[in-house]
Amino acid sequence: MQDLSPQQNAPNGIDEAIVSGILSARIRPGTRLSENQLASLFSVSRTRVREAMMRLEQRGIVKVSPRRGWFVVEPSAEEAIMVYAARRVIEAGLLGSMDRLTESGRDTLHAHLTEEKLAIAAGDRQRLTCLMGDFHIRIAELAGNAILVEILRDLTARTILISLLYQSDFHAMQSHLGHCRIVAAMEEGDFLKAAALSVEHLDEVETGLDLSRRPDPLADLRRSLSLPPQSAAPRTPPTTKPQTRTGE
Amino acid sequence: MQDLSPQQNAPNGIDEAIVSGILSARIRPGTRLSENQLASLFSVSRTRVREAMMRLEQRGIVKVSPRRGWFVVEPSAEEAIMVYAARRVIEAGLLGSMDRLTESGRDTLHAHLTEEKLAIAAGDRQRLTCLMGDFHIRIAELAGNAILVEILRDLTARTILISLLYQSDFHAMQSHLGHCRIVAAMEEGDFLKAAALSVEHLDEVETGLDLSRRPDPLADLRRSLSLPPQSAAPRTPPTTKPQTRTGE
DNA sequence: CTTTTCTGACTTGTATGCAAGATTTGTCGC
DNA sequence: GCGACAAATCTTGCATACAAGTCAGAAAAG
């Protein structure tokens, strides 16, 4: 909708490219990020790539394994729980601290919900993933606090990685309805209700996770060979119905 | 009390040294941080210093002025308002989401309040500044969410910088009492009350700021010459009572 | 004396080179 | 065929060299 944050530092394209890749679920957790490859991709030296990686590490998005390489984080179950808890705290606090919804704010949210509907209708999974995460960021933007927007953006990125790891199946419609309910409460001016709905919504999503599932170390290879994803019962033949995975 | 965060990355001493310097108000906003000086101070090359600076920039603690140098941030009035708003949202949300106070948690908080009292009695300003900020971090630690702890730590650092810029005078006792009230509410098990008190406490501190004051570009020189700090009425002779400034 | 210009000593920005460790792969012995 | 060993080839870690920009102060012009 609007481009990169206005007063925010725009360090270089590398950071945002990676984050954007994660936000749209094009980059999976555990993906290896080679300094050399990124350097030639962006036509810069390793120095700048490393600086970008340092920043992303600070944001909890990548990790370095010493002398082995940089990897997109694979949040543990404990981290996943913390991320959702943090999001509940921040988003509920944010909504609870709001007291009015401006005209343009209402329009922004409606436009967003319409986009969600369109993406669902079109079955555009990548776009949908991105939109589902963006919804919460839009709300933070409405509250006008750039600091919290930035924090939520990083938490959203981690949320998407979590869902890619632990979410076996998900109904996009359910989340969309949750978003609609939150917007409705905001339009009523009942921000405490909106906050409660937000907590409920995040609980719902978190409950849908299977946190007991161990991250599959062979996921990449599996996908490359077009093998079915790891299932709880290894002997079970693959389900014929294609799974719909989204960031939320 | 307990040392560096356990599972957290301990990148190197540079980051923490600077943050610790800010947390104890030994480093003032606007302080120049020369890559070369830091490099020789820590006996490393500029490379590692730069990496540390990049991380600190990501955390909103330092800024780079291109080809001029690195500086500890001097938050603007708008940023100051955002920082306090963010802290209210997070801390209130945190307390509101808690439902019980463990024995050891109670002990930790009591020990902290005792330390605050001791620092006040001893008039140890630096220690007091550090403690005042740490109080809120302790609470986040009690809630057990490492992500929010980290976020609050950075916000606390910025808070201290803000208070150094905009806080002309402050009574440490007032904040200490605020903390005591919050702990009391927690002991009663009334976490909603604690959350409300926390918001009230932060409001109180924010109200005590003079955000209309422009940051004084001559502050460093002034301090070097032992001149009185910039006052609202320039002709007024310096007050004889020494001002007590703390991070909160 | 004031103003302008220029030079030189700083700063960070970026690339590159080399060292050290981890992983893989090829090879040998059995 | 199979396991152990070794070397080749990757990876990041870190220091250094040089490019480029900024600023202060000297020197020259008015």
Side-chain angles (χ1 to χ4, degrees):
Chain A
M1 189 150 298
Q2 66 189 30
D3 56 3
L4 299 173
S5 39
Q7 94 290 354
Q8 184 62 19
N9 52 347
N12 59 48
I14 304 176
D15 304 62
E16 286 311 316
I18 291 174
V19 171
S20 153
I22 292 175
L23 253 43
S24 57
R26 286 189 310 259
I27 301 179
R28 289 195 50 97
T31 302
R32 177 194 190 78
L33 297 173
S34 157
E35 291 184 2
N36 276 320
Q37 288 179 17
L38 286 171
S40 43
L41 254 154
F42 286 87
S43 302
V44 295
S45 80
R46 275 180 51 221
T47 305
R48 299 186 56 188
V49 174
R50 273 183 75 77
E51 289 172 352
M53 295 316 247
M54 299 278 169
R55 283 188 291 261
L56 289 175
E57 184 180 38
Q58 193 63 48
R59 295 166 70 179
I61 291 175
V62 306
K63 273 259 181 249
V64 63
S65 176
R67 310 263 181 200
R68 283 179 22 87
W70 294 91
F71 300 90
V72 175
V73 295
E74 299 182 272
S76 67
E78 292 78 22
E79 285 172 315
I81 291 171
M82 282 200 300
V83 167
Y84 275 96
R87 284 190 60 181
R88 272 194 295 270
V89 163
I90 295 175
E91 295 182 23
L94 206 45
L95 283 169
S97 75
M98 289 177 72
D99 52 0
R100 66 193 184 88
L101 180 62
T102 64
E103 282 282 321
S104 74
R106 199 179 56 88
D107 293 346
T108 302
L109 290 179
H110 276 206
H112 182 89
L113 291 180
T114 303
E115 283 201 79
E116 283 188 10
K117 281 194 181 69
L118 286 175
I120 290 179
D124 188 341
R125 216 171 41 184
Q126 261 189 18
R127 179 146 191 69
L128 196 52
T129 305
C130 203
L131 285 170
M132 287 303 189
D134 261 17
F135 172 76
H136 302 266
I137 297 174
R138 292 274 170 279
I139 288 183
E141 284 172 349
L142 252 55
N145 193 313
I147 295 174
L148 291 176
V149 168
E150 204 179 328
I151 292 172
L152 274 183
R153 196 192 313 278
D154 294 346
L155 287 178
T156 300
R158 289 165 88 167
T159 302
I160 290 176
L161 295 175
I162 290 167
S163 63
L164 286 175
L165 278 178
Y166 300 108
Q167 202 171 66
S168 50
D169 191 44
F170 183 72
H171 304 287
M173 207 57 197
Q174 187 184 5
S175 266
H176 174 65
L177 287 178
H179 294 176
C180 288
R181 275 195 288 269
I182 292 172
V183 171
M186 291 174 74
E187 287 190 88
E188 290 170 23
D190 191 346
F191 289 94
L192 264 73
K193 182 180 168 190
L197 283 171
S198 183
V199 169
E200 196 180 307
H201 170 57
L202 286 169
D203 271 333
E204 222 171 61
V205 178
E206 187 180 357
T207 306
L209 299 179
D210 177 15
L211 291 176
S212 63
R213 183 202 301 198
R214 299 293 315 153
D216 178 10
L218 302 177
D220 283 353
L221 189 54
R222 226 181 279 275
R223 205 169 29 262
S224 303
L225 300 175
S226 300
L227 292 178
Q230 193 181 39
S231 72
R235 302 285 172 167
T236 303
T239 143
T240 54
K241 183 191 71 169
Q243 298 189 341
T244 21
R245 295 189 176 191
T246 104
E248 187 146 337
Chain B
M1 185 147 297
Q2 68 188 29
D3 57 1
L4 298 173
S5 39
Q7 92 288 356
Q8 185 61 18
N9 52 344
N12 59 46
I14 304 175
D15 305 62
E16 286 310 315
I18 291 174
V19 171
S20 152
I22 292 174
L23 252 43
S24 57
R26 286 190 310 261
I27 300 180
R28 288 195 49 95
T31 301
R32 177 194 192 78
L33 297 173
S34 158
E35 291 185 2
N36 276 320
Q37 289 180 17
L38 287 171
S40 43
L41 255 157
F42 287 88
S43 302
V44 294
S45 80
R46 274 182 53 220
T47 305
R48 296 186 58 187
V49 174
R50 271 182 77 77
E51 289 172 352
M53 296 314 246
M54 298 279 170
R55 283 188 290 261
L56 290 175
E57 184 181 37
Q58 191 63 47
R59 295 166 70 178
I61 290 175
V62 307
K63 274 254 180 257
V64 62
S65 175
R67 309 268 181 198
R68 284 180 22 87
W70 294 90
F71 300 89
V72 176
V73 293
E74 299 182 273
S76 67
E78 293 79 23
E79 285 172 313
I81 291 171
M82 282 200 300
V83 167
Y84 276 97
R87 283 190 61 180
R88 272 193 297 269
V89 163
I90 294 175
E91 294 181 24
L94 207 44
L95 283 169
S97 75
M98 288 176 72
D99 52 2
R100 66 195 185 88
L101 180 62
T102 65
E103 281 283 322
S104 74
R106 199 180 57 87
D107 293 346
T108 302
L109 290 179
H110 276 205
H112 182 90
L113 290 180
T114 304
E115 282 201 79
E116 283 189 9
K117 281 194 182 66
L118 286 175
I120 289 179
D124 188 340
R125 217 171 39 183
Q126 261 188 19
R127 178 145 192 70
L128 196 52
T129 306
C130 205
L131 285 171
M132 286 303 187
D134 261 17
F135 172 75
H136 302 268
I137 297 175
R138 291 274 169 281
I139 290 184
E141 285 172 349
L142 253 55
N145 193 312
I147 295 174
L148 290 175
V149 168
E150 203 181 329
I151 292 172
L152 274 183
R153 195 191 314 277
D154 294 345
L155 287 178
T156 299
R158 289 166 88 167
T159 302
I160 290 176
L161 294 174
I162 289 167
S163 64
L164 286 174
L165 278 178
Y166 300 108
Q167 203 171 66
S168 49
D169 191 43
F170 182 73
H171 305 286
M173 206 57 197
Q174 187 184 5
S175 267
H176 174 64
L177 288 178
H179 293 176
C180 289
R181 274 194 289 268
I182 292 172
V183 171
M186 291 174 74
E187 287 191 86
E188 292 169 21
D190 192 345
F191 290 94
L192 263 72
K193 183 180 168 190
L197 282 171
S198 183
V199 169
E200 196 180 306
H201 170 57
L202 286 169
D203 271 333
E204 223 171 61
V205 179
E206 187 180 357
T207 307
L209 300 180
D210 177 13
L211 291 175
S212 64
R213 183 205 299 199
R214 299 291 317 153
D216 179 9
L218 303 175
D220 284 352
L221 187 55
R222 226 180 279 275
R223 206 169 29 260
S224 302
L225 300 175
S226 300
L227 292 179
Q230 192 182 41
S231 71
R235 302 287 171 164
T236 303
T239 143
T240 54
K241 184 191 71 170
Q243 297 190 339
T244 24
R245 296 191 176 192
T246 104
E248 187 143 340

